[in-house]
Amino acid sequence: GHNLFGSDSLPTIAPLYFRAVVEALGLEVDPFIFERWAKGDYWLRRVDVAVMVDLGGPIELAECMNALRVQAHYQHRGRGHIDEGSLRWGGKSSRETVVKAYDKHKEIMGPKAHRLPDEIPHKTDLEAFAVGKLRLEVELHARHLEAMNLRRGSAWHADTAETEWVKAMDKLKISGQMKLTPDQLKSLPKPIRKTYSAWESGRDLGACMSRATIYKHR
């Protein structure tokens, strides 16, 4: 697909993808194979889980990326490093997890391998949608999947991807806290404004919202 938005339910996506590949190649497959795929009878070597955050525009996104580069430390890995436009914690040869942050619009407008196909509907609208979007991505490699008993598709549930993303992001610590000016606070969407006010007053955010929401708002 265009890799800009979609479901994070691997048990739903994987069988549909397998079927699409089979049909595109014109292969004949035993119907029982489709049933096995639907039940999660396949092995996984790597799963990428991503969340996209709307920061408003390219300037705000650049400021955020710079703050993450300077202030964010990943457990046992330290600061991130820039590699091909992405801020990474963990090397390309990592066998466990890699965390990445990058400008999604720059990615799809950059090298040909990441561009949207010309035949995709509403291509211009999709490119405009990606402006100001920060992609926070976690690569789960074989060793991690093995340790978490997630090598087989049947081990995954609708919320497993989100759970693994949150666990990985838990290890990303951002030093220092930024106070917003009254004008900045007014410019925020109401749900995020409420979260910020609750955080500033010292409330336990974990008691009133999911961890995934906390990370998105932060």
Side-chain angles (χ1 to χ4, degrees), residues 68-80:
L68 287 172
R69 182 181 61 81
V70 174
Q71 295 180 296
H73 294 72
Y74 200 79
Q75 186 175 313
H76 305 310
R77 296 180 188 173
R79 288 184 179 178

Side-chain angles (χ1 to χ4, degrees), residues 21-137:
V21 170
V22 165
E23 292 175 351
L25 295 176
L27 300 177
E28 291 187 12
V29 177
D30 189 314
F32 290 108
I33 296 293
F34 291 117
E35 291 183 18
R36 288 174 57 187
W37 289 340
K39 292 176 181 177
D41 190 5
Y42 49 86
W43 291 93
L44 300 163
R45 288 177 54 188
R46 170 176 160 180
V47 179
D48 292 359
V49 187
V51 164
M52 207 144 62
V53 182
D54 186 357
L55 294 178
I59 295 175
E60 292 84 354
L61 196 154
E63 290 174 347
C64 180
M65 285 284 289
N66 186 58
L68 287 172
R69 182 181 61 81
V70 174
Q71 295 180 296
H73 294 72
Y74 200 79
Q75 186 175 313
H76 305 310
R77 296 180 188 173
R79 288 184 179 178
H81 62 280
I82 301 294
D83 180 37
E84 297 180 356
S86 295
L87 180 59
R88 297 171 62 97
W89 293 268
K92 284 188 176 181
S93 61
S94 174
R95 291 180 291 172
E96 296 188 19
T97 59
V98 176
V99 174
K100 298 190 294 186
Y102 57 92
D103 182 332
K104 188 62 183 177
H105 183 254
K106 276 188 178 180
E107 184 195 44
I108 65 171
M109 301 302 290
K112 189 173 181 180
H114 294 289
R115 290 184 183 178
L116 302 180
D118 291 333
E119 65 272 16
I120 196 169
H122 309 292
K123 181 180 178 182
T124 303
D125 293 332
L126 290 171
E127 291 171 344
F129 167 81
V131 173
K133 300 294 194 304
L134 173 70
R135 187 70 163 250
L136 294 170
E137 191 167 302

Side-chain angles (χ1 to χ4, degrees), residues 173-193:
K173 306 300 180 183
I174 302 174
S175 58
Q177 302 289 0
M178 295 181 292
K179 296 285 185 179
L180 301 180
T181 65
D183 285 341
Q184 289 174 326
L185 188 57
K186 284 181 183 177
S187 70
L188 293 175
K190 185 177 278 188
I192 299 181
R193 215 177 331 173

Side-chain angles (χ1 to χ4, degrees), residues 114-181:
H114 294 289
R115 290 184 183 178
L116 302 180
D118 291 333
E119 65 272 16
I120 196 169
H122 309 292
K123 181 180 178 182
T124 303
D125 293 332
L126 290 171
E127 291 171 344
F129 167 81
V131 173
K133 300 294 194 304
L134 173 70
R135 187 70 163 250
L136 294 170
E137 191 167 302
V138 176
E139 296 176 4
L140 305 172
H141 292 259
R143 178 181 286 184
H144 176 85
L145 296 174
E146 190 75 51
M148 296 293 104
N149 293 317
L150 293 174
R151 283 295 307 279
R152 292 191 66 79
S154 56
W156 287 69
H157 304 287
D159 61 349
T160 303
E162 181 180 5
T163 299
E164 289 300 309
W165 185 87
V166 169
K167 282 162 56 178
M169 286 295 165
D170 244 349
K171 298 177 183 179
L172 187 65
K173 306 300 180 183
I174 302 174
S175 58
Q177 302 289 0
M178 295 181 292
K179 296 285 185 179
L180 301 180
T181 65

